Amino acid sequence: MVRQDRSDRRSGGHKRGKGRDDHHYHHGGQKTSKTTKPPVNENSPVIAVFRTFQTELDSVHDKYERLVKLSRDVTIDSKRVIFLLHRISNDEKKQSVLEEADSKIANVKQRLCQITQELQGEDPYRYLRAISPGVQEFIEALLFYHYIKNNKLLGHKELEQQLSFVVTNESEGSKVNQARDAGMKQQKGSDVKKPEEDTSEETATETKTEAENESSTEPKSCVTGGGDEAPPETLKIDMHIPPNEYMLGMADFTGELMRMCINSVGSGDRETPFQLVSFMREIYDGFQLLGNTPNREVVRKLYTMRQSLKKVENTCYTLHVRGSEIPEHMLLDAIASVEKGERGFAGDDAGEE
């Protein structure tokens, strides 16, 4: 009993229970619940400003999601172009496959035109993470197509020239964005002068929903390669390709050259691998001039490029040294055995270290 009385005195004569933590007291002694929230004054200028912030952030997030979806479609269509180009086995099929690939690339450019329209008036690097996978995959497909057709590398400026679009009819989405921006400016001015006449949350939600539905519509007409001057009643827009994205797409392009080399050996073509190895060495030497780059993705793709170049060099070595003594139907097996031998030798060296 004595110990219990002492513990009660130390705690102020009150036992700590569940009911005491559920409520707190004001200075007036009134007990109120923690879950009670004061009502929000919708006519407050502070609330009006935060409603504007909400509308702006929602529009940014919606645009980001639209760009992610478009980038995903660009990635899928670009992969289909690459798979189609790998079907070229001889000169007879080359022309027909290139014509089919050209039509597919035109469809991809239409999606890139939609991305360019979404990015009009925006910082090109703000939404770069949303469109980067699709842009790199398209660069890889376009470089591969241009090399097969013209036997040379497509430069960065030439690539951007192909991504110049002429929009003949303004899309409904851009009209909605302009109307929304004008409405936001008008709302800011009305908030300063007459805060009591602020729009309600329901009106902002309806405006946002209407803008989302109308902004998802595709452009009515988009023509690539518009030239220096656009015709009247048209809008010329250019898609900016950062140099870093071009380099990453070029690094992926070397992997397709490696696959093209192996496929050419399988089809009996012994000249293409030697052309590809010299071309890939020039690209690899150009990347080596960059030195130590802090970009982690560039370092990772440079390592993959080195592995692809080594496979092509092993293929050329096998063709040059043992090509005359190995039948054509066994060349691929001989190349694979050389690669397995190198991997085993590298593993032994790592174990000794």
Side-chain angles (χ1 to χ4, degrees):
M1 294 295 294
V2 177
R3 293 180 179 177
Q4 185 175 3
D5 294 339
R6 289 179 180 176
S7 62
D8 291 341
R9 291 196 199 101
R10 290 175 183 174
S11 61
H14 299 281
K15 293 183 179 180
R16 296 181 179 178
K18 297 182 179 179
R20 184 171 179 81
D21 293 337
D22 293 339
H23 302 85
H24 62 279
Y25 294 84
H26 289 293
H27 294 289
Q30 296 179 355
K31 184 170 66 174
T32 59
S33 177
K34 288 184 179 180
T35 58
T36 304
K37 295 182 180 180
V40 178
N41 184 13
E42 295 292 340
N43 295 326
S44 173
V46 177
I47 298 299
V49 170
F50 276 93
R51 295 298 183 195
T52 304
F53 294 160
Q54 177 187 2
T55 306
E56 292 179 357
L57 289 176
D58 288 344
S59 64
V60 170
H61 294 158
D62 294 339
K63 179 176 289 190
Y64 190 90
E65 292 299 326
R66 291 196 300 270
L67 290 174
V68 169
K69 293 179 181 179
L70 288 173
S71 176
R72 191 182 299 118
D73 295 338
V74 170
T75 301
I76 295 173
D77 294 341
S78 299
K79 286 182 180 295
R80 290 174 179 172
V81 173
I82 294 174
F83 296 154
L84 176 64
L85 293 174
H86 278 299
R87 289 168 48 189
I88 299 177
S89 57
N90 50 39
D91 294 337
E92 297 178 358
K93 294 183 178 180
K94 182 177 179 179
Q95 189 62 31
S96 60
V97 172
L98 287 178
E99 292 177 357
E100 185 177 355
D102 194 8
S103 62
K104 290 182 178 295
I105 291 176
N107 294 332
V108 180
K109 289 181 178 179
Q110 291 293 325
R111 299 189 184 276
L112 292 174
C113 179
Q114 298 177 38
I115 293 177
T116 308
Q117 288 180 341
E118 290 282 354
L119 296 178
Q120 286 300 301
E122 300 284 354
D123 185 2
Y125 294 92
R126 184 177 187 179
Y127 300 95
L128 184 60
R129 294 186 61 183
I131 64 174
S132 179
V135 170
Q136 291 182 22
E137 196 70 29
F138 172 74
I139 292 173
E140 177 185 358
L142 191 61
L143 292 180
F144 192 36
Y145 168 81
H146 194 268
Y147 178 78
I148 293 177
K149 184 177 181 180
N150 302 318
N151 200 21
K152 65 178 182 178
L153 181 68
L154 182 68
H156 181 255
K157 293 183 178 179
E158 297 174 350
L159 174 67
E160 287 191 331
Q161 289 177 359
Q162 294 196 20
L163 297 179
S164 178
F165 309 102
V166 175
V167 182
T168 56
N169 288 320
E170 190 177 13
S171 63
E172 297 294 331
S174 58
K175 292 181 180 179
V176 171
N177 293 332
Q178 292 177 3
R180 181 172 54 192
D181 294 339
M184 288 169 57
K185 292 180 181 179
Q186 185 178 3
Q187 182 180 1
K188 290 181 180 179
S190 61
D191 291 338
V192 176
K193 297 180 181 179
K194 299 179 181 180
E196 65 276 1
E197 296 181 1
D198 183 34
T199 57
S200 62
E201 183 179 359
E202 296 180 356
T203 306
T205 305
E206 293 176 358
T207 305
K208 172 192 167 186
T209 306
E210 184 180 357
E212 289 178 0
N213 296 332
E214 295 186 0
S215 61
S216 60
T217 58
E218 297 183 357
K220 295 181 180 179
S221 180
C222 185
V223 182
T224 59
D228 296 334
E229 295 183 359
E233 298 181 356
T234 58
L235 178 64
K236 183 177 181 296
I237 55 178
D238 300 323
M239 185 174 185
H240 173 67
I241 301 296
N244 188 51
E245 298 298 310
Y246 174 76
M247 291 170 54
L248 294 175
M250 188 193 306
D252 294 334
F253 161 62
T254 57
E256 304 306 326
L257 293 179
M258 182 270 296
R259 296 181 183 89
M260 181 181 177
C261 173
I262 302 301
N263 292 337
S264 63
V265 174
S267 61
D269 185 5
R270 300 194 177 190
E271 297 180 358
T272 301
F274 294 96
Q275 298 176 359
L276 293 175
V277 70
S278 59
F279 183 68
M280 291 179 63
R281 281 173 180 169
E282 293 179 2
I283 297 177
Y284 181 74
D285 292 341
F287 273 86
Q288 288 292 98
L289 296 176
L290 299 176
N292 296 326
T293 56
N295 194 327
R296 186 181 305 175
E297 193 171 3
V298 173
V299 175
R300 179 177 60 85
K301 292 196 175 185
L302 186 60
Y303 174 78
T304 306
M305 186 193 305
R306 189 184 304 114
Q307 299 299 320
S308 300
L309 178 59
K310 188 176 295 185
K311 290 181 181 179
V312 177
E313 289 177 344
N314 291 335
T315 302
C316 293
Y317 167 79
T318 304
L319 291 175
H320 184 72
V321 177
R322 303 180 59 190
S324 58
E325 61 185 25
I326 299 177
E328 291 186 359
H329 66 278
M330 297 181 61
L331 281 176
L332 292 178
D333 296 333
I335 294 171
S337 63
V338 172
E339 294 179 0
K340 290 181 181 179
E342 284 199 352
R343 285 198 293 266
F345 181 74
D348 295 340
D349 290 344
E352 293 178 359
E353 292 178 358

